[in-house]
Amino acid sequence: MEPVLIVLVVLVVVAFIALIKTIQVIPQASAAIVERFGRYTRTLNAGLNIVVPFIDRVRNRIDLREQVVPFPPQPVITQDNLVVNIDTVIYYQVTDPRAATYEVASYIQAIEQLTVTTLRNIIGSMDLESTLTSREVINAGLRGVLDEATGKWGIRVNRVELKAIEPPTSIQDSMEKQMRAERDKRAAILTAEGNRQSQILRAEGEKQAEVLKAEGEAQAAVLRADGEAAAIRTVFEAIHQGDADQKLLAYQYLQTLPELAKGDANKLWIIPSEVGDALKGLGGAFTGLTGNGGGANGSAVAAPSAPPAAPPAASQVPIDPAAGPRPLDTDTKGSARPRIDPLREYRKTDPE
């Protein structure tokens, strides 16, 4: 019984192993390559799969998700003979598990070497400044070459990124000095531009202030002149409407004489000829008033001697301002006689 029991136990173990090898569970986003006697048979997808035990063999499992592979820094020579170290990152995805297994021995190593070669070709045609400022151009060039080369391997390169570009230390120091000088230059330019704008605005403000001040003074002068003209016009109209006679004008002139005599240099007074006749009439009026009145103590005041006979008074002829001065006066009979100028008569009698 013991040999039979041993055989049964062996058969159970073999059946269990065969069952395990027959059932293959593939996780999601994965694939498996099945070989029968060393030859590719089929690709197992995600889920439960049945294979022939001891005949079919699952070679490897391939992850179908997008993969990220960083590559170590690679020294690259630029067009101006400067060595820079460039770190790259590749984003790829397996689209054909069979091609990725049989078309290339190690697609990771192949992608790395292809990236280094392509990167050297691209950077070799650019100088350092273009390399530092043209990352998008370099990324697009790398992606185009890698996608075309890895297509037959069942690989799709989604993105290529330059993680770091490190120039030599001496070049970094020079670049820092250049950038510092450029910043100082921009600061100086901005300061000068600000001062220029400030001076322009200040000058514009002063100009507008002067213009507004001049306009205000001009308007004030115009209003002042209009006011003086209106005052003169009002006085002129009041005089003509009041019909002032020669006596009133002579009285006003007598009130103005003290103002004319205030100056020390006033040695000569200009008296119009028309004032003489008015003064004569005004003097006669004052004489009549004093002759008829009494003294302060009530005694009668002796009447002055009768003045010599005066020539007939000249007729008062209205003066037309537009017609100019009249050279001759007319007496009561209508005959013309020369006008007597009081100033001229005064000069004849005065020895000085």
Side-chain angles (χ1 to χ4, degrees):
M1 294 293 296
E2 292 181 358
V4 175
L5 183 59
I6 294 174
V7 171
L8 289 175
V9 172
V10 171
L11 291 176
V12 171
V13 171
V14 171
F16 181 75
I17 294 174
L19 181 62
I20 292 175
K21 289 184 173 292
T22 301
I23 299 174
Q24 296 289 333
V25 179
I26 306 299
Q28 183 66 33
S30 298
I33 301 299
V34 177
E35 294 180 349
R36 181 171 293 177
F37 300 112
R39 186 175 181 180
Y40 170 76
T41 303
R42 56 181 177 142
T43 301
L44 300 181
N45 297 321
L48 182 62
N49 296 275
I50 304 298
V51 297
V52 178
F54 307 108
I55 297 176
D56 296 337
R57 183 176 67 92
V58 178
R59 180 172 179 177
N60 58 353
R61 299 175 184 270
I62 298 176
D63 194 348
L64 300 179
R65 294 175 296 178
E66 186 174 6
Q67 304 293 322
V68 181
V69 179
F71 296 145
Q74 301 293 330
V76 181
I77 300 176
T78 60
Q79 187 178 9
D80 47 359
N81 297 325
L82 293 176
V83 179
V84 294
N85 295 323
I86 300 179
D87 296 346
T88 56
V89 179
I90 303 297
Y91 297 83
Y92 72 93
Q93 184 177 7
V94 178
T95 57
D96 188 358
R98 177 181 175 279
T101 303
Y102 296 105
E103 296 295 334
V104 62
S106 176
Y107 55 85
I108 298 297
Q109 185 177 1
I111 291 175
E112 180 182 1
Q113 297 300 322
L114 184 60
T115 300
V116 172
T117 305
T118 307
L119 190 61
R120 289 178 178 176
N121 292 334
I122 296 175
I123 299 299
S125 61
M126 304 172 63
D127 55 4
L128 179 61
E129 185 175 359
S130 300
T131 302
L132 296 175
T133 58
S134 303
R135 292 198 175 192
E136 294 296 332
V137 177
I138 298 173
N139 294 339
L142 279 174
R143 179 182 176 184
V145 174
L146 292 176
D147 197 11
E148 181 181 359
T150 58
K152 61 180 180 179
W153 300 339
I155 306 296
R156 183 177 68 240
V157 178
N158 296 326
R159 296 184 62 183
V160 179
E161 294 292 339
L162 300 182
K163 188 168 61 175
I165 300 177
E166 298 179 358
T169 306
S170 59
I171 301 300
Q172 291 182 5
D173 296 338
S174 300
M175 291 174 62
E176 290 179 359
K177 293 180 181 179
Q178 181 180 0
M179 293 302 297
R180 190 179 301 111
E182 187 68 23
R183 292 190 183 95
D184 294 340
K185 175 183 176 182
R186 292 179 182 176
I189 291 174
L190 292 177
T191 302
E193 187 68 22
N195 294 333
R196 174 175 172 271
Q197 293 293 335
S198 176
Q199 294 177 0
I200 290 175
L201 294 177
R202 189 180 298 110
E204 289 290 339
E206 294 177 355
K207 176 183 175 182
Q208 293 180 3
E210 293 295 334
V211 170
L212 293 177
K213 182 179 179 181
E215 291 179 354
E217 293 178 354
Q219 293 179 2
V222 171
L223 294 177
R224 194 180 301 112
D226 292 340
E228 293 177 357
I232 294 173
R233 190 181 303 108
T234 303
V235 172
F236 183 77
E237 291 177 355
I239 292 174
H240 281 275
Q241 290 177 1
D243 194 12
D245 55 358
Q246 295 292 335
K247 297 179 181 180
L248 178 60
L249 295 177
Y251 180 72
Q252 293 293 332
Y253 183 77
L254 289 176
Q255 289 182 342
T256 311
L257 286 179
E259 297 295 332
L260 297 175
K262 284 184 178 180
D264 297 336
N266 293 334
K267 301 300 183 181
L268 181 62
W269 295 355
I270 305 300
I271 301 176
S273 60
E274 290 81 359
V275 180
D277 298 337
L279 290 177
K280 290 178 182 181
L282 186 61
F286 286 160
T287 303
L289 291 175
T290 57
N292 296 330
N297 53 6
S299 62
V301 180
S305 60
S315 61
Q316 301 296 328
V317 180
I319 299 175
D320 187 3
R326 297 175 60 87
L328 297 177
D329 291 338
T330 56
D331 54 8
T332 56
K333 297 180 180 181
S335 61
R337 63 181 179 83
R339 175 182 294 177
I340 299 175
D341 190 354
L343 181 60
R344 188 180 302 170
E345 296 297 331
Y346 171 77
R347 289 181 179 177
K348 288 180 180 180
T349 60
D350 190 1
E352 295 181 358

